[in-house]
Amino acid sequence: QVQLVESGGGLVQPGGSLRLSCAASRTILSINFMGWYRQAPGKERELAASMISGGSTNYADSVKGRFTISRDNAVNTVYLQMNSLKPEDTAVYYCNAGPNLFAANFWGKGTLVTVSS
């Protein structure tokens, strides 16, 4: 089992950038799947970005070209770099991890990102 703690959320202006961090309680080398979900009030949950341990990444069309998921195994942390932020990016962002997409049972508590002028 691994505990996940997100950080880095906050208020940012449209067009700005923010980097979210997901710190794991133990090595993430053995965690095959890590992803960033987001959910705004009244909206369905969306998998914004994900990464397989081998390095392959996937992005939702809504964030492709603007968001980048990465990992630093040395510090057991996964990042979500968010650039060119839009108001519609406003959401609570959750870190998610597990053996694969369908068994990713470890969740962080979320960090709120608000994009507003």
Side-chain angles (χ1 to χ4, degrees):
Q1 185 172 325
V2 61
Q3 282 71 52
L4 306 173
V5 180
E6 304 97 333
S7 62
L11 176 64
V12 63
Q13 292 185 322
S17 297
L18 211 59
R19 188 174 76 161
L20 306 183
S21 298
C22 173
S25 60
R26 61 173 175 85
T27 179
I28 59 174
L29 286 172
S30 61
I31 305 297
N32 293 324
F33 173 89
M34 298 199 76
W36 285 96
Y37 284 85
R38 66 182 187 177
Q39 187 168 28
K43 303 289 185 179
E44 63 182 7
R45 188 182 65 180
E46 176 185 39
L47 180 59
S50 62
M51 169 177 280
I52 307 301
S53 60
S56 297
T57 59
N58 286 283
Y59 299 93
D61 289 340
S62 56
V63 308
K64 193 173 298 181
R66 300 187 297 118
F67 289 12
T68 303
I69 186 171
S70 62
R71 64 196 296 165
D72 188 341
N73 294 327
V75 294
N76 301 329
T77 300
V78 175
Y79 303 98
L80 184 66
Q81 178 66 46
M82 305 183 294
N83 298 325
S84 302
L85 283 163
K86 305 173 181 179
E88 49 263 45
D89 294 319
T90 297
V92 177
Y93 286 72
Y94 298 92
C95 186
N96 176 234
N100 56 67
L101 173 65
F102 308 103
N105 299 320
F106 306 116
W107 291 88
K109 294 181 179 180
T111 185
L112 176 63
V113 172
T114 302
V115 184
S116 176
S117 60

